[in-house]
Each structure stands twice: as C-alpha cells, then as structure tokens.
Amino acid sequence: MDLYQLTAHRLHEMLVKKEVSAAEITKAVFQRIEQVEDKVNSYITLTQETAEAQAAEVDKRLAAGEAIEPLAGIPVALKDNLCTEGIRTTCASKMLGDFVPPYTATAVQRLYDANLVLVGKTNLDEFAMGSSTENSKFHLTHNPWDAERVPGGSSGGSAAAVAAGQAIVSLGTDTGGSIRQPASYCGVVGMKPTYGGVSRYGAVPFASSLDQIGPITKDVTDMAHMLNVICGHDPLDSTSANLQHPDFTKYLVNDIKGLKIGVPKEYLAEGIDSQVKNRIKEAIEKMTELGAYVEETSMPHTDYAMPAYYLLATAEASSNLARYDGVSFGFRVADAEDIVDMFKRSRSQGFGDEVKLRIMLGTYSLSAGYYDAYYLKALKVRTLIKQDFDQALEKYDLLLGPTSPSTAFKIGELINDPIKMYLQDICTIPVNLAGLPAISLPCGLVNNLPVGLQLIGKAFDEGTLLQAAFTFEQNTEHHRLRPEL
C-alpha cells in the first residue's frame, strides 16, 4: 500500500521502527498531490518547502535516537480560515486574497508543537459559508469519489484532501456541520468537539457562538490522537473551557456492551433519502448486535433548528464581517471617490454573493424593528433545542442518526436553490446550537457514494463517542473503502 493511503498511527509505527522517514512520507504525499490535484482541487496554497523542513527536523530527532510524538512527521492540511503566521490565509475570498497573518491559530500552533508537517491550506466556501465548497472565490473542489459531485462544505477541501490521500489528517471548522457533512460525503471521519473544547483563537470567525475547530482523519484512532493535540484550555480564547482533557486514546476500546443509544425519530423522518436510511438502520442493527441498547426517542423542536440557526448565524456573521471595510486590512478599491464610496465598493467587490446574502439577512434580523421578532425568538428556540438534547442525554449515553440527508449531490445541482442547499445540514445544525460534540464516520455506500453515521454525545464526553465509533469501525469494513482516482 502506498504511504499516502496509510493512517497516521500506522505511519508512526513505521517511523519508530525506521522502516520509513518523515521525508519519504512527505514526498509521497506531495507526489500524490501532483498526481490528483488537477482532478480534486483540494488546496488553495501548498507549503512544500515548509513541509520538507519540518520533516527533516523529525528525521534528525529520530536519527539522534529521540522519542517522537504520536503525530510527529505526519502531513496535515489546514482549512484556509485558520491563521498561519507568514502563510497566506484567504478564507477563499477576494476580501482576504492577499492576507498574510502576523500570528498563528492556537490549534495550529499545537500541531506545530507536536511536530506535524504542514502540507498546505485547503479550499472552502467563502468565509466558511456554504455546504458544497462551491462558494470559493478560487475554484471548485471535486469529490474524490465522483468528480462531478461536491465534496460537501464548508470544509470540503480538508475532507477531500484526506480522502484523496493528499494529506494524512486535516483540520476544518464546523459552524453548522462543516466538518461532519464533508466527512460524510468523502467517506472519512470528522469530529466537532464540544464548544469550548478547542481554542478558536486564530480561526477567522463566521458565527462565534457556533464555530468550532475539529479534525478530519481516515479512522477513529487518528481522531483520538488529533484530539489529544488540539484540545485544551487557551487563555487567548475567552470561550475556551478551563478543563483537563483525558488521553483520548484510552477510549479506543472495542466494547459497547450496555451502552444506551437514542435514535431521534426526527432524524429519520421525511426528507432523508431512503437508501441513506437503510445504511443507518444497518448501523443500528450492528450496534445492537455488539451489545448496545438502542431505541427510538424524540427531539420535538428539531424542525425549528434550521430557521433558528440561519437567524443566529447570519446575525453573528453580520457583526463579525463588519471589520472588512477596506481600512485596516483586506481588499480595498483603488479609485474610491471618498470614504463612503470606499466602504461600499470594497465590500461589494470583496465579498461573494452568498456572504453578502448572509450579511443582509443578519443585519435585517438585528435591526431595531425586528430584533425581538427574529433574533431574540431564535435565541429562545436555541434554548428549547438544547433542552431537547439535555433531556435525551439524561436517558441515553449518546444519540445516533445520519450525518446528512443524502449522499453528495452534483456540482451546480443546488447552487440556485439556497433552501435545499441549507437543508443538507439539517442533521448537523442542532448539535452546534446545543454546543455538543459529534462525530461522523463511514457506514456504507449508496451507488458507490459514502454515507455518514453521526453519533452525538454529552458535553465534554468525546471519550464515549470515540469508544462507540471505534467499536463500530473495528467490526465493519466501511473505513477501509477508498475512492479510486
């Protein structure tokens, strides 16, 4: 098997035994990028010189007989809304097309400290606003399973890169499903940790009360190792939880006997593709066979999650994106007549259509005459949705359902129908509103396209999710399936 197809933990074993060098792993990944990037278009920026230098440092440590960290020398891709000092960070937008941050995101710095190797910055929907990566200013990213289909979004480049062997692991951000949904579409593992579990410092904000950085990996073991690196308190992020995180690899136990799993009936209701339902039902049967207690439950306010989310997320986006005015940084028109003209034209030309749509929706819902009718009501609905989860998770150890209502759709199929596009996140959005952890992992194929199984856990109980996901993975072959490029 080629090096780029292997998991991080297998490559670590090979590095320690000196069966391979970090330089050879890095070379294999860049050769793979050269081979398939024109078909997939995962990346906006490649950092080959940086990667080779980082790999050489790991090889020096190995040659000196030093012990290395579990992910040292492993090639990683970063979603291009995570700040990297000295390396362009664009958010796939004309507004930040030439922006080079003066600092590095905390989660990224922790990867550097663990001696991972930075391959490059991946494509996304502009400012992480979208479900297909079609809203990028730069180019379309294609699903490695079918080049005519989307990879999901907004972290489509990060998911496609891992699925295509263009990176071994990656980081994305998840505001309403933007890690889990592309992981589902691309047949890889994606996790949104509990809100506050991973520092948001250095992640360009979309909706600050919803955004969360998380990993995308080839299997659950790699996910545990990535969480060990990026989780933890950060004084630079006021929403970072000051908690001691466990060693997540201790939860990689092949046993779910007695685990109580709830299946919200709303997550398998009308609107979910019948073949996707079949894969989820097969996963439920497997969980039951492995000793878990699985039963149907109800989350009565699920139908209100999407409208509440799009009011809250757009309101926060309207506020967060107000900083891009052509003054401090970002795109600025060169021939403005006066300062007002500069503001208007810099924002009109610097932002794409989807971003402008969301800014307008958010500004409207925050305006004086509509704040109580829309934004305040959406906050109350968010509380009801969180209460649904609280009540369900008092009875169950975790909840189970599909990650997405369908498999990957064709490029251009939904781009002119925003409501249908937004509905692709209907199963993931409630989790962000409640601030809970959730993982998506492969559970089969429909017409040779991956289906994602979503497990939702209690706050800061990523361990139980990992154990359930690991047990399912160890007793099925779904995670071994790879696209043929």
Side-chain angles (χ1 to χ4, degrees), residues 171-378:
L171 281 188
T173 60
D174 192 311
T175 307
S178 289
I179 288 171
R180 291 160 288 151
Q181 185 248 32
S184 172
Y185 283 4
C186 292
V188 291
V189 181
M191 188 167 196
K192 184 202 89 69
T194 307
Y195 184 81
V198 178
S199 171
R200 292 184 301 108
Y201 178 77
V204 178
F206 161 16
S208 302
S209 76
L210 300 162
D211 296 341
Q212 187 62 75
I213 297 171
I216 296 172
T217 62
K218 293 177 181 175
D219 71 1
V220 177
T221 301
D222 284 359
M223 180 61 66
H225 284 296
M226 284 290 283
L227 291 174
N228 276 346
V229 173
I230 66 171
C231 286
H233 178 62
D234 178 17
L236 298 173
D237 175 8
S238 63
T239 62
S240 172
N242 193 358
L243 295 173
Q244 188 68 37
H245 288 273
D247 175 359
F248 290 108
T249 61
K250 290 182 179 177
Y251 292 95
L252 301 175
V253 179
N254 189 354
D255 181 16
I256 55 168
K257 291 182 181 68
L259 196 73
K260 294 179 180 178
I261 301 175
V263 181
K265 63 182 181 182
E266 292 81 5
Y267 290 9
L268 291 172
E270 188 179 347
I272 307 297
D273 180 88
S274 61
Q275 291 180 292
V276 169
K277 281 185 193 178
N278 289 339
R279 297 294 86 79
I280 300 304
K281 287 174 182 175
E282 288 165 9
I284 291 169
E285 289 171 10
K286 175 58 73 172
M287 292 289 202
T288 304
E289 177 190 317
L290 293 168
Y293 172 74
V294 186
E295 71 173 8
E296 186 181 88
T297 187
S298 179
M299 308 276 285
H301 297 97
T302 298
D303 287 348
Y304 301 103
M306 194 183 81
Y309 170 86
Y310 276 99
L311 282 166
L312 297 172
T314 57
E316 293 184 28
S318 167
S319 175
N320 277 325
L321 272 63
R323 70 192 71 182
Y324 304 110
D325 54 12
V327 178
S328 301
F329 56 89
F331 173 75
R332 180 194 295 181
V333 292
D335 57 346
E337 295 176 8
D338 52 39
I339 192 167
V340 175
D341 184 51
M342 183 194 73
F343 286 161
K344 285 182 179 178
R345 290 173 56 208
S346 294
R347 288 171 67 79
S348 295
Q349 295 176 30
F351 291 133
D353 289 345
E354 181 65 24
V355 174
K356 286 188 274 194
L357 171 64
R358 297 197 191 198
I359 290 172
M360 287 190 289
L361 282 171
T363 304
Y364 180 83
S365 69
L366 288 174
S367 58
Y370 300 99
Y371 180 92
D372 288 350
Y374 293 106
Y375 182 73
L376 189 60
K377 190 167 284 187

